[in-house]
Amino acid sequence: MVLLTDKNQGQEGTTPVKRLTIQTVEIDQDTTAIRSLDWNRDRFDIEFGLQNGTTYNSFLICGEQTALVDTSHEKFRQLYFDTLTGLINPQDIDYLIISHTEPDHSGLVKDLLQKAPDITVVGSKVAIQFLEDLVHQPFKRRIVKNGDRLDLGNGHEFEFVIAPNLHWPDTIFSFDHKTQILYTCDAFGMHYCTDSTFDDDLSAIEKDFQYYYECLMGPNARSVLSAMKRMAELKTIKMIATGHGPLLYHNLQELTGRYLNWSQNQTKAETTVGIFYVSEYGYSDRLAQSITNGIVKTGVAVEVVDLSGTVDLQELRELVGRCKGLVVGMNPISSNTSIQTALSTVLGSATEKQAIGIFETGGGDDEPTYPLLNKFRSAGLTVAFPVIEIRETPTENTYKKCEEAGTDLGQLVTKEKSIKAMKSLSADLDKALGRISGGLYIITAKKGDVSSAMLASWVSQASFKPLGFSIAVAKDRAIESLMQVGDRFVLNVLEEGNYQALMKHFLKRFSPGADRFEGVKTQPAENGAPILGDALAYMECEVVSRMDCGDHWAVYSTVYAGRVSKPESLTAVHHRKVGNHY
Ligand SMILES: Cc1cc2nc3c(=O)[nH]c(=O)nc-3n(C[C@H](O)[C@H](O)[C@H](O)COP(=O)(O)O)c2cc1C
């Protein structure tokens, strides 16, 4: 394996704000990885916080004919084409294999086709359809199905594996029989930017590998299992060349084994919610993803079905049958018959014990808005959140609203279980635990346009140097997604004898996306989070680390500024009788 180049897009002598570099490495015979390294990217979709940047990997395979597997993000346009043309004249590329059409991998397809219009694009039927909308120009194409082969000569015979929903409906894997490399794009990837081409350091990458799985693959655990079953039919796989992060080589068995375990556990989960949506409408993918994130926060498994893909109606019935909650994302005026049939199947298999939530994308203002919800309601289902109607380009607030709606649904379907768990403590222990007391605080946070708040009493100083404290934040709190490592927030201290109104306000049940500060006197702190006018003191804080404590995160933060407004007053204290609630 030979490192060929390592180029930097920043100007010499200056530190670029966003560091973009590119690495080309010969990873096997006739096979070069072109890895676009996006060191500083801190967000992938609004809800997916990244701590270690990411990479977009593309691969060049030269047999007698030449194939390029995926391209890169458009932000790498100059660097990517400089690098590619250093390796090959783009017009000499015969095939462009599209693993899937998400812009971070296919953002430069249009440019490539303009430079080399004779390239044949190879992809699944859905990918080719998506691509037509993306490039707006005729191009040569070859649609592949599971098991189809493409011979580049010189032993490089590619075999294709259909892997829908990993994580887009159009995904294919490509296996080179000569090098035994499987190209999987999003699957088995991770958002982790490193100069190491491979997974040499398992302990460094495993957390990001798992986080990525949970965000993107877990909701499609069944599709992961189907794809892995197909992978098992291939000859031995020596390396998995993913689209994000280091390639799997040293720990291939271990990491694929984890995918298998997680997916098997996920499909065995006690409580599952099914999300049934149509990806071809606007922003449905990301809306469904945000709702998923909100549900997963409550410890409930999610299975996502794209009704615009190939749907087995029997499997659909079986899935709906075992779900405790359903989410349907539709365009209200969809007339596609196969989508309508799938939707009728969902409706026909739903039962009154389930909860339902609907989101609608597209459609005009004059469209009838709630007929679908009414149908589910008539079937006896409980409505988990008000219909989310998306008529305009979603904003960060829209995605946050979807996340909160998902959490409400998750909480609804686990309510009985939570009450049971609460009552399961022995009375003595419960009372003893209740003697642990705390103060009363309101945590406030603002990230971009999204703000949130919560009342907290599980707050305790944790260090002098640096000045730091911990807060236990329930995993399903709305504010939790604004308290990732590096996020800033304000700790407002409530005053003895003067906390009731604020406590009452912030304990209200807010509907998804509601402005929690309406009617509350605030002023912005330097970090943007609201300082409450009636707080006794406030501190500006930054999250340093988070420890998994079962149903809560212990969030350790440092304090870098603060002020007391009423030096003579005391902090409000919260005494409890029992320890099974706050
Ligand atoms: C006295 C009291 C103390 C609380 N302390 C905490 C806490 O330390 N951590 C936490 O996650 N939730 C705590 N809660 C619960 C949340 O404040 C409350 O349920 C929340 O505002 C609603 O959840 P949401 O923001 O996710 O909608 C406390 C609740 C009460 C009544």
Side-chain angles (χ1 to χ4, degrees), residues 402-423:
C402 288
E403 185 193 289
E404 290 179 18
T407 301
D408 282 0
L409 173 60
Q411 287 170 339
L412 184 65
V413 298
T414 49
K415 205 164 154 190
E416 274 175 31
K417 215 166 87 186
S418 311
I419 294 172
K420 232 194 223 161
M422 237 182 206
K423 289 182 178 162

Side-chain angles (χ1 to χ4, degrees), residues 37 61 73 89 129 152 176 212 216 243 268 353 361 418 468 501 523 548 560 566:
L37 306 176
I61 301 101
H73 195 288
N89 176 351
Q129 279 164 359
L152 298 181
D176 182 345
Y212 180 100
L216 296 184
K268 277 191 228 135
K353 288 201 176 118
T361 52
S418 311
Q523 65 178 82
D548 190 333
Y560 57 91
K566 299 179 187 172

Side-chain angles (χ1 to χ4, degrees), residues 454-458 472-474 476-478 506-507 516 574 582:
M454 79 158 186
L455 175 79
S457 60
W458 293 7
V473 181
D476 57 353
R477 288 279 163 265
F506 286 103
L507 281 177
R516 295 184 180 218
H574 180 57
Y582 301 107

Side-chain angles (χ1 to χ4, degrees), residues 18 156 166 346 368 396 401 451 497:
K18 295 278 175 197
H156 293 284
L166 303 182
V346 174
E396 291 177 21
K401 179 177 178 170
S451 60

Side-chain angles (χ1 to χ4, degrees), residues 278 280-285 287 329-333 359-364 388-391 394:
V278 180
E280 58 198 43
Y281 299 130
Y283 305 88
S284 325
D285 274 302
L287 298 167
M330 292 291 289
N331 176 317
I333 49 171
F359 67 98
E360 287 186 353
T361 52
I388 301 174
E389 290 173 283
I390 312 293
R391 298 283 178 260

